[in-house]
Amino acid sequence: MTVTSIIENTSSQGMPTEHGLSLHIHLDSTRNVLFDMGQGSLFAKNAEQMSVSIKDVDFAVISHGHYDHGGGLSTFLGINTSANVYIHKEAFLPHFSLRDTGMRRIGLDSTLADNNRLVLCGDITHICDEATLFANVDGNCCNPYGNRLLFGPDEAHNDNFCHEQNLIIEENGNVVLFAGCAHRGIINIIRKAERITGKPPTHVLAGMHLVKSGLTEEAENQYIATLAAELQKYSNCKFYTMHCTGEEQYRKLKTIMGHQIDYLSCGERIDI
């Protein structure tokens, strides 16, 4: 398969960027998948510039109910007239982020919730022979501290991320895991993926939400070292990170993990 980053916070290729994520996945079976859609229409503009056809996407996935992953839904539905969009049934509930200026809404456009091309997902959804979605991740290994700033479905309660789902694609002996922000913790997500497939992942592409931890530098360094040690237990897995991991946090992971982890920025392609 070939994975193309069409939206990410950074670009080494001079592409327009925004705080968000969108990955195009071309399978060897010829299926085309869109994983997340950024904030709005930029994913479509970037895709056109990179000769990636949004019209030819066979199905799309929105990883969770935040604007920087599903804000492009209206644009996608307007360009692609046939593909189903797989989204968790709780994704359209209100979501909030606590900023310096107060609470800010960061949810999706709820007027789109009744669109007949949306497939509302729960725990495990088998899309096709190669692709499976899953939610309801449990565990407390290296959970992101930045979650303390995220709320929903009201401003009084921290988000439990029941609306977050992750994608497994199995092809040609590879088990590839995609996670948008890994709010439930990337290690916990990997462990559930392994329970579902019965195999460890060969590749993980994920934002890991290491930004805005609120930790002291010493405590954050220890947290990242612990996370890196857990990731390295999957010694035959290649990691690509992006988006909410944070550039400085990525550099710290890279120092520990070396060639086992790389950053995937907007405009870059990888073959798996």
Side-chain angles (χ1 to χ4, degrees):
M1 74 183 73
T2 299
V3 181
T4 303
S5 175
I6 53 178
I7 287 292
E8 206 274 322
N9 302 31
T10 68
S11 179
S12 62
Q13 309 296 313
M15 296 288 292
T17 64
E18 66 185 14
H19 174 79
L21 184 65
S22 183
L23 303 176
H24 180 272
I25 308 162
H26 177 71
L27 303 185
D28 291 348
S29 67
T30 73
R31 283 192 176 96
N32 292 292
V33 183
L34 189 68
F35 184 83
D36 285 342
M37 305 172 183
Q39 294 186 26
S41 61
L42 184 58
F43 83 93
K45 296 173 184 175
N46 282 358
E48 183 176 10
Q49 187 172 335
M50 298 182 69
S51 300
V52 170
S53 174
I54 298 302
K55 289 182 180 179
D56 292 335
V57 166
D58 294 294
F59 66 86
V61 171
I62 293 178
S63 63
H64 59 295
H66 289 171
Y67 76 103
D68 50 330
H69 295 260
L73 177 57
S74 178
T75 297
F76 177 81
L77 293 172
I79 295 173
N80 184 302
T81 59
S82 60
N84 286 334
V85 179
Y86 291 80
I87 186 168
H88 196 275
K89 60 185 178 181
E90 307 292 344
F92 285 99
L93 292 175
H95 299 103
F96 306 88
S97 175
L98 181 59
R99 309 288 175 87
D100 292 340
T101 55
M103 204 70 80
R104 176 187 171 188
R105 286 184 174 269
I106 59 168
L108 304 180
D109 181 356
S110 60
T111 65
L112 301 173
D114 294 329
N115 189 283
N116 61 13
R117 288 168 54 200
L118 300 188
V119 179
L120 302 181
C121 304
D123 183 18
I124 297 176
T125 303
H126 296 289
I127 300 175
C128 61
D129 289 343
E130 300 95 341
T132 301
L133 280 171
F134 68 94
N136 295 340
V137 172
D138 56 9
N140 294 297
C141 183
C142 298
N143 286 0
Y145 284 92
N147 287 346
R148 76 193 188 285
L149 301 175
L150 299 171
F151 294 79
D154 56 57
E155 298 181 29
H157 295 90
N158 275 113
D159 200 330
N160 66 6
F161 301 103
C162 63
H163 56 99
E164 183 177 67
Q165 56 184 4
N166 311 280
L167 175 65
I168 303 167
I169 295 181
E170 298 183 71
E171 187 177 60
N172 297 332
N174 291 314
V175 180
V176 186
L177 172 63
F178 296 85
C181 275
H183 287 290
R184 297 300 293 261
I186 189 59
I187 301 300
N188 305 317
I189 292 168
I190 292 172
R191 289 173 179 173
K192 179 156 185 177
E194 192 171 8
R195 291 196 298 271
I196 291 170
T197 64
K199 294 170 281 191
T202 59
H203 302 78
V204 173
L205 292 89
M208 298 183 187
H209 201 64
L210 304 184
V211 295
K212 299 181 180 179
S213 69
L215 299 172
T216 65
E217 183 176 0
E218 180 181 0
E220 182 169 276
N221 289 342
Q222 181 56 56
Y223 169 83
I224 290 175
T226 300
L227 174 60
E230 290 291 335
L231 293 172
Q232 287 178 305
K233 291 178 180 179
Y234 295 89
S235 57
N236 295 318
C237 182
K238 173 71 176 186
F239 295 90
Y240 295 92
T241 194
M242 58 208 77
H243 181 46
C244 58
T245 300
E247 294 179 75
E248 179 61 28
Q249 291 81 359
Y250 161 70
R251 283 191 284 269
K252 292 176 181 180
L253 285 172
K254 181 72 172 175
T255 298
I256 300 169
M257 298 178 66
H259 70 277
Q260 196 178 359
I261 190 167
D262 282 317
Y263 199 95
L264 185 64
S265 69
C266 183
E268 295 181 334
R269 284 190 172 99
I270 57 170
D271 292 317
I272 294 174

